[in-house]
Amino acid sequence: MMRTPLISPNPGNAPPAEQVLIEQTDNDNLQGAMLMIACMAVFACNDALIKYVTQELPLSQAIVMRGAFVLPLMLALGLRQGRLRLRVPRRDVLPLVTRSLAEVSSSLLYLLALRQMPLGNISAIMQSLPLAVMLGAAVFFRERMGWRRIGAVLVGFAGVLVVLRPGTGAFDEWAIIALLSVVLIVVRDLVTRKFSGDVGSSTVAFYAAFAVMMSGFVLGFEEPWRWPTQRETLLLLLSASFLTAGYITAVASMRVGEISFVAPFRYTSLIAAILLGLLVFGEWPDLWTWVGAAMIVGAGIYAILRDGKARRAR
């Protein structure tokens, strides 16, 4: 079946091979963008379900139950793809342990904050993560950052302060916990670069999910568990399905199209979070949250596009 060209035939007298390349790039970019939007939507749905269920069910129990649903799904997918290897080379053990600890700590802090903060507010804070990772890579791995991207990082962090508004009632212990979660996620992502090529993404994700589930058992000593209702069990199963779909689409979106085109669509998660917060919890962000979120998203998109331009120039 012939594909309909997305551009006029032979623009600018481009050779036929170049014409096909342009068409394929446009199709790949569109597919990558759709995958990224889907990824952000299912992650936001997972957050909304966990926030909803843990209003009544103990958080530690919800973590364990969701993990019990997620792990078999990830195991089956990893084995099907042939990339899951439970035995890790000795040189990768320390990065794996360090990353798992950062994963557990960041997940617990995030879930604690998620229960108490409006979904749109905590999502706006989490949008600063790409900027924070970019800054961390420049500090610890000496990756080059021009003054424009440094300025974008500063604007993004200023947006976080606008959302949190230190000195007001909006800045409480839960906001601090959400910020600590961001810091630990940066640590997790930077440690991931230390893995050798012998460790696949499926293996890293499986151990991370397993560590998070086991942390729920540890927390369970601090709060009494109860028998979950059928509704709660079904919602956690749905949450696990969304989380697994998020893992899959997160990887797929980065393997299709140009990263500089696809990556900015990650900020659609803020739109999904705000809509879910309004529909499920009746939460509507105030003016300052909108202003701060716009600063964070704008700075993040600019930094990503600038990074892509710099890489192409090099």
Side-chain angles (χ1 to χ4, degrees):
M1 180 182 296
M2 295 183 61
R3 293 186 298 176
T4 304
L6 296 179
I7 55 178
S8 59
N10 202 16
N13 297 320
E18 185 177 337
Q19 165 70 24
V20 173
L21 180 61
I22 293 172
E23 180 183 341
Q24 288 176 340
T25 300
D26 288 343
N27 283 332
D28 289 344
N29 284 343
L30 181 61
Q31 183 181 355
M34 293 298 101
L35 285 169
M36 179 61 78
I37 292 172
C39 174
M40 295 299 102
V42 295
F43 274 137
C45 289
N46 165 70
D47 287 348
L49 286 170
I50 287 293
K51 180 179 175 66
Y52 181 82
V53 171
T54 55
Q55 300 301 309
E56 300 291 338
L57 193 69
L59 177 60
S60 59
Q61 186 175 359
I63 291 173
V64 171
M65 290 181 64
R66 186 184 67 172
F69 293 139
V70 167
L71 284 178
L73 293 174
M74 294 182 64
L75 183 63
L77 289 170
L79 292 175
R80 181 179 180 182
Q81 294 171 353
R83 293 287 295 164
L84 183 62
R85 299 289 186 273
L86 296 183
R87 293 194 63 178
V88 178
R90 182 174 299 179
R91 64 181 178 276
D92 292 308
V93 171
L94 181 58
L96 182 63
V97 172
T98 304
R99 189 190 186 280
S100 298
L101 290 175
E103 179 80 50
V104 169
S105 303
S106 62
S107 297
L108 293 179
L109 292 177
Y110 176 76
L111 292 173
L112 286 171
L114 179 65
R115 286 201 303 178
Q116 304 296 329
M117 295 180 65
L119 196 58
N121 287 36
I122 192 170
S123 179
I125 295 172
M126 299 306 292
Q127 302 311 307
S128 65
L129 183 58
L131 296 170
V133 171
M134 188 179 297
L135 182 61
V139 172
F140 294 104
F141 296 114
R142 298 292 187 266
E143 292 191 3
R144 288 186 291 177
M145 282 185 63
W147 65 269
R148 292 181 179 87
R149 277 186 288 165
I150 293 176
V153 170
L154 294 177
V155 171
F157 289 162
V160 174
L161 293 178
V162 171
V163 173
L164 296 179
R165 300 190 294 283
T168 69
F171 189 73
D172 54 16
E173 66 272 18
W174 303 114
I176 297 174
I177 288 174
L179 286 176
L180 289 175
S181 175
V182 171
V183 172
L184 288 166
I185 294 174
V186 172
V187 173
R188 179 201 69 185
D189 288 351
L190 294 180
V191 170
T192 303
R193 300 192 180 195
K194 295 293 186 179
F195 286 108
S196 68
D198 297 328
V199 180
S201 300
S202 299
T203 301
V204 175
F206 178 84
Y207 277 112
F210 178 76
V212 171
M213 186 186 75
M214 296 306 295
S215 70
F217 284 110
V218 176
L219 290 178
F221 291 108
E222 301 294 330
E223 52 185 356
W225 289 11
R226 62 171 174 79
W227 192 259
T229 65
Q230 184 179 14
R231 177 184 175 85
E232 290 168 340
T233 303
L234 291 175
L235 289 177
L236 287 173
L237 178 59
L238 183 60
S239 172
S241 302
F242 280 134
L243 190 60
T244 305
Y247 286 141
I248 296 171
T249 52
V251 175
S253 63
M254 288 291 97
R255 300 178 68 178
V256 180
E258 300 169 298
I259 293 179
S260 60
F261 181 88
V262 174
F265 286 92
R266 68 177 296 115
Y267 291 102
T268 56
S269 63
L270 182 58
I271 300 174
I274 289 174
L275 290 176
L276 287 170
L278 177 63
L279 294 175
V280 180
F281 305 103
E283 303 166 346
W284 183 253
D286 58 21
L287 176 61
W288 289 111
T289 301
W290 283 108
V291 172
M295 293 172 64
I296 298 168
V297 172
I301 292 176
Y302 175 82
I304 291 171
L305 295 178
R306 186 68 192 176
D307 180 67
K309 183 177 180 181
R311 291 179 184 276
R312 287 192 297 271
R314 290 197 296 269

